[in-house]
Amino acid sequence: RKEVEQDPGPFNVPEGATVAFNCTYSNSASQSFFWYRQDCRKEPKLLMSVYSSGNEDGRFTAQLNRASQYISLLIRDSKLSDSATYLCAVNLDYKLSFGAGTTVTVRA
Amino acid sequence: GAGVSQSPSNKVTEKGKDVELRCDPISGHTALYWYRQSLGQGLEFLIYFQGNSAPDKSGLPSDRFSAERTGGSVSTLTIQRTQQEDSAVYLCASSPNAGEETQYFGPGTRLLVL
């Protein structure tokens, strides 16, 4: 079983829609959690950290469910510029394990 | 301020040759990481440096791979006797400290082994 698993998608959504997807992790001792955004042929860039209480950054909401070992990302009012691959990352003992990414395509 | 930089941005080599990839972390960041990303795949951890501690090499796929970090700053990843399966994007990241700090990635080196 992979340490971090994501639905690869793609999620094709119209502008203005809400899209949400999850990421599961296998090691219950994992310490911290992140969502990264990766555009085609670019490096990953940190989108947001994920806190136990859940957190919001503009149109983006991240949540952590330790009991079920998953994190989620919700994007409201999708923009064309949100089209990207979203990687979840899980930190255990200073090493990040990444999922393979969820591709989101927002269409006009 | 300046981010993580990597060179070269692209490298094409022949099977069996050695290659060196360079990473300049963000100034003051003590932790440095190397990852590999194959086409359509997630990032695969390779090696981690933290200050003057011994590096964590647990992710290196074979003994053809090695890395150094001189003076606690610049790092070089070396791949000896390259194979076609080594073709990937090699990404370097740095963070202020190890542990829960977020990591900041460089633009990567795209390696193609013919």
Side-chain angles (χ1 to χ4, degrees), chain B residues 6-37:
Chain B
Q6 292 186 245
S7 61
S9 54
N10 293 281
K11 177 72 176 178
V12 180
T13 191
E14 293 178 348
K15 178 181 172 181
K17 295 286 179 73
D18 297 352
V19 295
E20 283 191 354
L21 313 180
R22 177 187 168 107
C23 172
D24 282 271
I26 294 172
S27 177
H29 281 194
T30 61
L32 186 148
Y33 309 78
W34 284 98
Y35 295 88
R36 176 169 72 174
Q37 187 173 30

Side-chain angles (χ1 to χ4, degrees), chain A residues 33-98:
Chain A
F33 308 86
F34 307 90
W35 282 105
Y36 280 79
R37 172 192 169 125
Q38 187 172 29
D39 293 296
C40 187
R41 298 181 65 80
K42 298 287 189 180
E43 72 274 21
K45 292 189 177 177
L46 180 68
L47 179 65
M48 57 199 301
S49 301
V50 187
Y51 303 120
S52 297
S53 55
N55 48 302
E56 200 172 294
D57 183 1
R59 298 180 294 106
F60 296 83
T61 301
Q63 296 207 321
L64 166 64
N65 186 317
R66 282 194 181 270
S68 300
Q69 294 182 203
Y70 73 87
I71 63 174
S72 64
L73 182 66
L74 181 146
I75 308 173
R76 285 187 303 278
D77 188 23
S78 299
K79 310 292 184 190
L80 295 175
S81 57
D82 295 333
S83 297
T85 297
Y86 292 85
L87 305 172
C88 68
V90 175
N91 187 325
L92 178 62
D93 296 334
Y94 59 74
K95 285 188 291 191
L96 282 182
S97 295
F98 285 84

Side-chain angles (χ1 to χ4, degrees), chain B residues 41-108:
Chain B
Q41 302 296 312
L43 279 72
E44 174 189 4
F45 168 80
L46 297 178
I47 188 169
Y48 156 73
F49 296 90
Q50 169 59 40
N52 295 321
S53 303
D56 179 343
K57 304 179 182 180
S58 61
L60 295 178
S62 78
D63 58 9
R64 296 186 295 104
F65 288 72
S66 62
E68 291 184 340
R69 188 178 186 193
T70 54
S73 181
V74 171
S75 177
T76 303
L77 177 69
T78 301
I79 309 173
Q80 295 178 309
R81 305 181 302 281
T82 52
Q83 304 294 312
Q84 289 181 331
E85 61 263 29
D86 298 335
S87 297
V89 178
Y90 289 82
L91 290 156
C92 175
S94 70
S95 67
N97 286 295
E100 299 192 17
E101 296 286 347
T102 56
Q103 297 180 19
Y104 300 88
F105 284 84

